[in-house]
Amino acid sequence: MRQVHTGIEFPRFGATLQTARRRAGLTQEQLSTASGISVRAIRDLELGRAHRPRRETIRLLADALGLSGSHRVLLESGSGHDAVDSTVRQMYEEQVASPPAATSPLIGRERELDVVAGALLTGQERLLSLVGLPGVGKSRLALAVARRYEAEREARVLWLPVSSSPTGLLPSGPAPEPDRAQALLTAWTLDRLAGRGPLEDLVRLIGGRRTLLVLDGYEDAAVDRDSLLRLLAGCDGLQVLVTARAPLPVLGARAVPLAALPVGGPAGGPDRGGERPAGAAVRLMSSHVRYTRPALRQTAAVTEAIAGLCRQLDGIPLALNTAAGWLPMYAPEQLLAVARDNPLHLVEPVFSGDFFPGESSAGPMGEPDLGMLIRGTVSGLRPGPARLLAVLARRGGACPTDEVLSLVGGSPGDVTRSLRGLLLRGLIREERLPEGGTAVSVLNLVRHVLRPACEPAPLTAVART
Ligand SMILES: Nc1ncnc2c1ncn2[C@@H]1O[C@H](COP(=O)(O)OP(=O)(O)OP(=O)(O)O)[C@@H](O)[C@H]1O
Ligand SMILES: [Mg+2]
């Protein structure tokens, strides 16, 4: 029997069978009547006394349980047969690995969506990467791109959640059955992309068909870049969209840096020329306020506080979503006061399973700790970019781009490369100066991460209104 490296462990057949039977609402006796398999055989299978059911037995049970698609695939793959290759093929044919469903609307990103989806739909690009800070919305945008691709071209989308630490698209905790099917396909594909299995299997699976392969949360170690290029060479209709926190070390991969959501007006700031339409960040935060505090009147002061909060949190969607978890207890003005002191207090998941058993061990709405993720990105920097980031953070405010060189010294080439690396990772942002030219500034959250150890969260000290 050929060894199949799936990299994941599936429950034994018995556990899979029992879950499927209970989901179908059948007793062992009822399943026996429907399938023609004896009650005793079913009981032995569920108890793990019989490990290797015959294929025909599996077929009869799956038919009686009314299983199809991923559920059927999982029953088969849990059977212990070497059926993984064929079940993966079946999953691809049946579009089981389609993108996950988004549970809330995409706010803003119209232009980014048009640019990225357009480049893929016209066939202009075959390998694109969305890069940026953790939580900036790379996966969320990739999801919208994948949906548009799937709808407009009747093409296949293979959505592979590569990262072990996604920020929020997929629920944490034990995966439901369709996610385990996804995990099987992901593991099978990644084995081939990482050189642990024959790449030809994957080339044969996709063939010449129009397919968008989304590697969501690319980590360098997980995918062998030569394999990726060989796969592209072997499959004419294949396009690859990658989401990553750092630029891909793959020759010719075009990087699309994803900036934070704009804050815009009405509190664009006195230096911004007064009223401007509310930006996507403000719209996202306002929607949280509307749902959490329906009775709160959106006065000018409230809108001003929301815009201030968004600015303090740099317009990072994950930061806004996590901070919104505090809204049941604190008004936007109070949260703004906390954020002005230290915005990290609002993005650290203070509520956790420690307080409320059964809740996620991440934030109040399942978010991970953004401060920790940013710390991870900063600590992964090489010495040159790390020094430049520290100097820019100490300087504070926006630094005209042509003054950056004089700040750190070193060769212009090295400083430019460092600057580019920081911009692509989303740790600094670029803005146009009114008098012409550009300036760069360190994100507020990043600046606070670079500060020495911060004090305990002062939220409890804020009086409730
Ligand atoms: N434009 C948007 N509108 C509404 N919600 C958004 C938007 N962008 C991101 N979000 C939400 O913000 C959270 C973080 O986004 P996402 O998971 O896409 O970040 P990411 O950049 O992929 O982070 P990571 O690098 O950790 O994978 C998710 O809950 C996502 O649904
Ligand atoms: Mg992501």
Side-chain angles (χ1 to χ4, degrees), residues 104-109 132-141 163 165-169 216-217 243-245 258 261 280 284 317-318 321 368 373:
S104 55
L106 177 74
I107 298 182
R109 298 292 190 215
L133 204 69
V136 76
K138 303 177 293 293
S139 301
R140 189 65 189 78
L141 177 62
S163 167
S165 59
T167 51
L169 276 178
D216 182 33
T243 75
R245 293 173 184 166
L258 197 60
L261 296 177
L284 177 56
L318 178 62
N321 288 350
L373 294 175

Side-chain angles (χ1 to χ4, degrees), residues 398-406 415 419 423 429-431 433 437-440:
C399 174
T401 311
D402 46 21
E403 286 176 24
V404 171
L405 189 58
S406 63
V415 177
L419 204 54
L423 279 166
R429 66 159 71 86
E430 192 195 55
E431 57 189 86
L433 293 169
T438 56
V440 290

Side-chain angles (χ1 to χ4, degrees), residues 3-21:
Q3 187 71 30
V4 178
H5 303 275
T6 62
I8 47 175
E9 276 186 14
F10 285 90
R12 305 190 78 83
F13 179 80
T16 316
L17 175 63
Q18 192 177 55
T19 308
R21 178 177 62 74

